[in-house]
Amino acid sequence: MYRYDHYDQVLVDQRVAQFRDQISRRLSGEITEDEFKPLRLQNGLYMQLHAYMLRVAIPYGLLSSDQLRKLAEVSRTYDRGYGHFSTRQNIQYNWPRLQDVPDLLAELASVQMHAIQTSGNCIRNTTSDHLAGVARDELVDPRVYCEIIRQWSTLHPEFAFLPRKFKIAVTGAPTADRAAVRVHDIGVRAVPGRTADEPHGFQVLVGGGLGRTPRIAEVCREFLPREHLLSYLEAILRVYNRYGRRDNKFKARIKILVGALGIEAFSEQVEAEWAQIRDGAMQLTPEEFDRVAADFSDPDYAALEPSDLFVQSLALSKDRALGRFVASNVLPHKRPGYSIVMISLKAKGKPPGDATAEQMELVAELADTYGFGRIVVAHEQNLVLPDIESRHLPELHARLSALDLAEPNIGKVTDIIACPGLDYCNLANARSIPIATRISERIEDLDYLHDLGDISLNISGCINACGHHHVGNIGILGIDKQGEEFYQLMLGGSPSDDASIGKILGPALPSAEIVDAVANVLQTYVNNRESADERFLDYVRRAGFEPFKEQLYGQPEHA
């Protein structure tokens, strides 16, 4: 993984010192909260409902075991003993005291971490496939390009004050989008070269996003030679910076600009801007690519026999807990004898995405003991141990079970993505965490859970869609109705290759009824699917909403 050079470390250390001075002036009353706000936002510090929240960057989700230990230590020293992993592959601390933030950031800087550009109208943390570097279907390791983008975008003077926040995602798998590139401002997808002699390039998508105006990104360029990646991204950002609306923050995202101009006119603007800079200093030379790629070379894998049959036997084990865990949470690795282990942060009754200090320390220890000291944060708010020798899976499962980290529900309906909601966020209209915990507790029968197959369920406490409710197979949006918490139920969303925006099923439901409604939707699917092989999303697309409306509302005309 990438290691800071001298310039990185100096930059981060200087930023800590600068922010320490700014906080000191705020505490002394020298500057007001209004004057302090743009300064703290440039350092990832939000004011939430009850306290400050600090969002820490985890570039493309990749952590070393030492970094995860430091995150655990920080949570114990400066927070309340836990952290919340977000859909941007970052971690958030919900209770730091303002006077402690400089020391907290200094601790992070000691392990090459920071909170720069985790907030504000700038280029946020570039996210990627959580199986990057180990997936069998990968064309190229996307983390190399994520790191190149990170170095280009960090404190880029031209893009520090964009019309609105800006998000980029990169995937190296041409046929399996695990990075949700179609719901980003820019999605970058590796594709094969156009000839046998040409290296891979990129398909570039623009104008995706969720929030008030959900939109699926459109193709801006079908094939971009890899040496032109940065100059093309710069051209897109320049067009957005020039024409993006600044008079209305609700219409300031690039998706609104793309929608207003149309993708053809927008692409023409980008191509015209790109023509002026494409052959300049931003060309990605083979030497520059090799410099960055060297930090992402494979670890020292052992020469092992293939283990697929062994893993399959574990999934059928008489030890039902182990069998369910392997069947649900263990994925094939590109190297023989190794497996990828998904760690669910969605145990029954627990807030989705939260991990205690003790849990983080255990995961760091397991990464060192059974892998190569690497951990990945998935945008679904789970953790990944990417390099585990398959023979160690039973003992790994036992150790995870001891700290409630072996929930066998990856990709299942209780693997819920949820924002912090009204329990923490001053923008929220309704709570998300209690709904998520009630749904997971409702589905007690693990056999039933696994019989349901792969279903995504996403919850947001407001229209800003931090819980990605628009692209859940089942989406739940909290709204306010005359001071009461109600929830809209949506069906048919997907963030993947078949990306789609879910549609509202019917009238919003009160908090007391939403969990029963979800159970009703699931039972309707089970009762009417063609076979156990028909996915929930496929059934919704085939049968439409009428079966669900009739069961949930009693009369179809309530639609």
Side-chain angles (χ1 to χ4, degrees), residues 401-416:
S401 299
L403 278 185
D404 213 11
L405 288 172
E407 190 74 19
N409 67 344
I410 296 297
K412 305 300 185 289
V413 72
T414 59
D415 184 11
I416 298 169

mmCIF file of all heavy atoms in Angstrom, residues 401-416:
data_model
loop_
_atom_site.group_PDB
_atom_site.id
_atom_site.type_symbol
_atom_site.label_atom_id
_atom_site.label_comp_id
_atom_site.label_asym_id
_atom_site.label_seq_id
_atom_site.Cartn_x
_atom_site.Cartn_y
_atom_site.Cartn_z
ATOM 1 N N SER A 401 -16.203 -14.533 16.027
ATOM 2 C CA SER A 401 -17.442 -14.794 16.764
ATOM 3 C C SER A 401 -17.363 -14.279 18.193
ATOM 4 O O SER A 401 -18.364 -13.810 18.750
ATOM 5 C CB SER A 401 -17.749 -16.292 16.775
ATOM 6 O OG SER A 401 -17.937 -16.788 15.468
ATOM 7 N N ALA A 402 -16.175 -14.335 18.764
ATOM 8 C CA ALA A 402 -16.011 -13.932 20.158
ATOM 9 C C ALA A 402 -16.319 -12.459 20.380
ATOM 10 O O ALA A 402 -16.678 -12.059 21.498
ATOM 11 C CB ALA A 402 -14.587 -14.249 20.627
ATOM 12 N N LEU A 403 -16.200 -11.642 19.341
ATOM 13 C CA LEU A 403 -16.485 -10.209 19.476
ATOM 14 C C LEU A 403 -17.624 -9.758 18.567
ATOM 15 O O LEU A 403 -17.676 -8.605 18.135
ATOM 16 C CB LEU A 403 -15.232 -9.369 19.201
ATOM 17 C CG LEU A 403 -14.251 -9.221 20.363
ATOM 18 C CD1 LEU A 403 -13.112 -8.278 20.001
ATOM 19 C CD2 LEU A 403 -14.947 -8.712 21.623
ATOM 20 N N ASP A 404 -18.530 -10.681 18.259
ATOM 21 C CA ASP A 404 -19.754 -10.347 17.518
ATOM 22 C C ASP A 404 -19.450 -9.803 16.122
ATOM 23 O O ASP A 404 -20.127 -8.896 15.643
ATOM 24 C CB ASP A 404 -20.567 -9.320 18.316
ATOM 25 C CG ASP A 404 -22.076 -9.490 18.116
ATOM 26 O OD1 ASP A 404 -22.478 -10.517 17.539
ATOM 27 O OD2 ASP A 404 -22.839 -8.597 18.524
ATOM 28 N N LEU A 405 -18.440 -10.377 15.472
ATOM 29 C CA LEU A 405 -18.036 -9.930 14.144
ATOM 30 C C LEU A 405 -18.213 -11.023 13.082
ATOM 31 O O LEU A 405 -17.641 -10.917 12.000
ATOM 32 C CB LEU A 405 -16.570 -9.476 14.160
ATOM 33 C CG LEU A 405 -16.272 -8.153 14.863
ATOM 34 C CD1 LEU A 405 -14.766 -7.932 14.968
ATOM 35 C CD2 LEU A 405 -16.937 -6.987 14.136
ATOM 36 N N ALA A 406 -19.001 -12.042 13.388
ATOM 37 C CA ALA A 406 -19.142 -13.166 12.458
ATOM 38 C C ALA A 406 -20.579 -13.297 11.941
ATOM 39 O O ALA A 406 -20.997 -14.381 11.540
ATOM 40 C CB ALA A 406 -18.703 -14.464 13.126
ATOM 41 N N GLU A 407 -21.327 -12.198 11.922
ATOM 42 C CA GLU A 407 -22.692 -12.253 11.415
ATOM 43 C C GLU A 407 -22.672 -12.712 9.950
ATOM 44 O O GLU A 407 -22.052 -12.063 9.094
ATOM 45 C CB GLU A 407 -23.344 -10.875 11.517
ATOM 46 C CG GLU A 407 -24.822 -10.856 11.244
ATOM 47 C CD GLU A 407 -25.647 -11.448 12.383
ATOM 48 O OE1 GLU A 407 -25.124 -11.542 13.523
ATOM 49 O OE2 GLU A 407 -26.803 -11.810 12.136
ATOM 50 N N PRO A 408 -23.345 -13.811 9.615
ATOM 51 C CA PRO A 408 -23.255 -14.368 8.252
ATOM 52 C C PRO A 408 -24.294 -13.754 7.318
ATOM 53 O O PRO A 408 -25.204 -14.437 6.819
ATOM 54 C CB PRO A 408 -23.520 -15.854 8.489
ATOM 55 C CG PRO A 408 -24.493 -15.867 9.627
ATOM 56 C CD PRO A 408 -24.110 -14.708 10.517
ATOM 57 N N ASN A 409 -24.164 -12.466 7.049
ATOM 58 C CA ASN A 409 -25.240 -11.806 6.313
ATOM 59 C C ASN A 409 -24.754 -10.898 5.183
ATOM 60 O O ASN A 409 -25.509 -10.027 4.721
ATOM 61 C CB ASN A 409 -26.106 -10.992 7.283
ATOM 62 C CG ASN A 409 -25.367 -9.806 7.892
ATOM 63 O OD1 ASN A 409 -24.145 -9.728 7.841
ATOM 64 N ND2 ASN A 409 -26.115 -8.885 8.483
ATOM 65 N N ILE A 410 -23.530 -11.081 4.711
ATOM 66 C CA ILE A 410 -23.035 -10.226 3.631
ATOM 67 C C ILE A 410 -23.925 -10.373 2.390
ATOM 68 O O ILE A 410 -24.168 -11.479 1.908
ATOM 69 C CB ILE A 410 -21.573 -10.562 3.281
ATOM 70 C CG1 ILE A 410 -20.653 -10.261 4.478
ATOM 71 C CG2 ILE A 410 -21.122 -9.786 2.047
ATOM 72 C CD1 ILE A 410 -20.601 -8.801 4.882
ATOM 73 N N GLY A 411 -24.419 -9.241 1.899
ATOM 74 C CA GLY A 411 -25.282 -9.254 0.725
ATOM 75 C C GLY A 411 -26.729 -9.612 0.999
ATOM 76 O O GLY A 411 -27.552 -9.598 0.085
ATOM 77 N N LYS A 412 -27.033 -9.921 2.261
ATOM 78 C CA LYS A 412 -28.403 -10.288 2.611
ATOM 79 C C LYS A 412 -29.164 -9.063 3.101
ATOM 80 O O LYS A 412 -28.605 -7.988 3.287
ATOM 81 C CB LYS A 412 -28.391 -11.392 3.688
ATOM 82 C CG LYS A 412 -27.580 -12.638 3.305
ATOM 83 C CD LYS A 412 -28.115 -13.283 2.050
ATOM 84 C CE LYS A 412 -27.421 -14.590 1.705
ATOM 85 N NZ LYS A 412 -26.034 -14.422 1.229
ATOM 86 N N VAL A 413 -30.461 -9.230 3.340
ATOM 87 C CA VAL A 413 -31.313 -8.084 3.631
ATOM 88 C C VAL A 413 -30.964 -7.409 4.957
ATOM 89 O O VAL A 413 -31.255 -6.218 5.152
ATOM 90 C CB VAL A 413 -32.805 -8.500 3.593
ATOM 91 C CG1 VAL A 413 -33.174 -9.356 4.799
ATOM 92 C CG2 VAL A 413 -33.699 -7.279 3.466
ATOM 93 N N THR A 414 -30.306 -8.111 5.877
ATOM 94 C CA THR A 414 -29.898 -7.484 7.141
ATOM 95 C C THR A 414 -28.516 -6.845 7.058
ATOM 96 O O THR A 414 -28.052 -6.273 8.040
ATOM 97 C CB THR A 414 -29.919 -8.501 8.297
ATOM 98 O OG1 THR A 414 -29.041 -9.596 7.995
ATOM 99 C CG2 THR A 414 -31.319 -9.021 8.538
ATOM 100 N N ASP A 415 -27.884 -6.935 5.895
ATOM 101 C CA ASP A 415 -26.609 -6.232 5.668
ATOM 102 C C ASP A 415 -26.960 -4.804 5.254
ATOM 103 O O ASP A 415 -26.723 -4.371 4.129
ATOM 104 C CB ASP A 415 -25.815 -6.954 4.580
ATOM 105 C CG ASP A 415 -24.439 -6.349 4.351
ATOM 106 O OD1 ASP A 415 -24.001 -5.506 5.153
ATOM 107 O OD2 ASP A 415 -23.806 -6.715 3.347
ATOM 108 N N ILE A 416 -27.530 -4.066 6.179
ATOM 109 C CA ILE A 416 -28.200 -2.801 5.883
ATOM 110 C C ILE A 416 -27.195 -1.651 5.833
ATOM 111 O O ILE A 416 -26.352 -1.511 6.720
ATOM 112 C CB ILE A 416 -29.278 -2.510 6.947
ATOM 113 C CG1 ILE A 416 -30.342 -3.612 6.931
ATOM 114 C CG2 ILE A 416 -29.909 -1.141 6.729
ATOM 115 C CD1 ILE A 416 -31.299 -3.553 8.109
#
